[in-house]
Amino acid sequence: MKITIGEFLDKYGKALFEKTASRFPPVVSEPRPFAWEGGRRPLGAQALAVSGLVEALRRGERAAFLTAEMGTGKTYMAIRTALELDPKGRFLVLCPPHLVPKWAREAEMEGAKAVVLERARDVRALLGREGPLFAVLSRERAKLGPGWRPAYGLRRTKKGSAPVCPTCGVGLPFSEEELARKRRKCEACGSPLYQEAPPKRESLYHALKRLLPKGFFRLLVLDEAHEYKGGG
């Protein structure tokens, strides 16, 4: 017999909630007093979420996850959590490119300063700046790594020339234009048909590591954290 999710929760929701609460007791059961006096004051579920996040981080947890439906104010709750954790702190926000203006705008609405990082000189300009400060960085600019260029040989043909693998010499089923558009490997021997080249500009990840002292930021905030790969 098929039942809807609503019917399932009506029938088993209470038991599931009780079992979950017994195995994973909540960090807080009611909102804590708030220290940050700027901006809007969190209420209801937002206040409870912020209190739980702050408490988890204060207990020494390396990370705390905020999961909520669209439109519930996740950006606001994350900003408020950072400010409650350290009202004078500096925080790094890594987010999708289209959300960079939103993060900067909402941080300023809460009474903090915000800086959008676009170049290495923006990172250098952070030195000496006091908090509360949110440095907002597009994840695309952060992950820019080494550049690359195609690597192949050319064999003369009746029509001019054709690409060949530089390792095994087999003719390639790709044009020079196709090799320049995408990193490929030789189908015969598996050798890469590309090589690393200097990037057009330094990745801001490396600029942050090179220019700022360790511990400069109190907290890293990852927007859409489920889209990031481990070890990166």
Side-chain angles (χ1 to χ4, degrees):
M1 182 182 66
K2 294 182 178 181
I3 61 173
T4 66
I5 187 65
E7 292 170 338
F8 178 83
L9 291 175
D10 286 340
K11 187 173 183 179
Y12 303 109
K14 183 178 179 180
L16 286 171
F17 176 81
E18 291 174 349
K19 188 69 173 179
T20 301
S22 65
R23 294 193 62 183
F24 306 101
V27 175
V28 297
S29 56
E30 58 183 29
R32 302 287 175 82
F34 294 113
W36 180 254
E37 297 180 354
R40 300 159 292 175
R41 200 158 189 79
L43 300 171
Q46 288 184 337
L48 186 59
V50 171
S51 296
L53 290 166
V54 172
E55 181 62 24
L57 293 169
R58 284 177 175 166
R59 289 185 182 185
E61 295 290 343
R62 295 189 62 187
F65 292 88
L66 172 61
T67 305
E69 294 290 337
M70 184 181 298
T72 54
K74 294 188 292 295
T75 301
Y76 163 71
M77 287 187 277
I79 291 170
R80 188 72 194 213
T81 296
L83 292 171
E84 289 294 330
L85 182 67
D86 187 351
K88 296 183 179 180
R90 291 174 296 225
F91 315 102
L92 177 62
V93 177
L94 199 59
C95 65
H98 67 284
L99 294 178
V100 168
K102 178 186 177 184
W103 273 95
R105 181 175 64 252
E106 291 211 25
E108 291 174 342
M109 287 174 60
E110 298 313 310
K113 297 181 285 292
V115 174
V116 175
L117 303 179
E118 295 183 334
R119 300 172 182 82
R121 65 170 177 261
D122 298 328
V123 176
R124 188 179 292 106
L126 293 174
L127 291 169
R129 294 201 59 172
E130 300 296 329
L133 173 69
F134 286 82
V136 187
L137 173 59
S138 159
R139 67 186 182 200
E140 300 304 320
R141 289 187 179 275
K143 70 182 183 181
L144 178 67
W148 66 277
R149 57 173 175 254
Y152 56 88
L154 289 174
R155 178 182 296 159
R156 289 187 178 182
T157 66
K158 293 181 180 180
K159 296 182 179 180
S161 60
V164 297
C165 175
T167 302
C168 68
V170 169
L172 300 172
F174 312 113
S175 68
E176 292 184 64
E177 291 76 15
E178 289 174 321
L179 290 167
R181 283 199 300 266
K182 182 180 179 180
R183 301 184 198 193
R184 301 179 185 274
K185 291 186 177 181
C186 175
E187 295 178 354
C189 69
S191 297
L193 301 173
Y194 58 88
Q195 60 187 0
E196 288 192 357
K200 294 181 179 179
R201 62 186 187 275
E202 180 184 23
S203 80
L204 290 188
Y205 164 78
H206 289 103
L208 288 165
K209 192 173 182 180
R210 177 172 62 85
L211 297 172
L212 300 181
K214 187 175 181 180
F216 183 84
F217 293 111
R218 178 68 173 83
L219 190 69
L220 169 64
V221 181
L222 295 177
D223 195 349
E224 305 291 350
H226 62 283
E227 296 182 359
Y228 293 84
K229 293 182 180 179

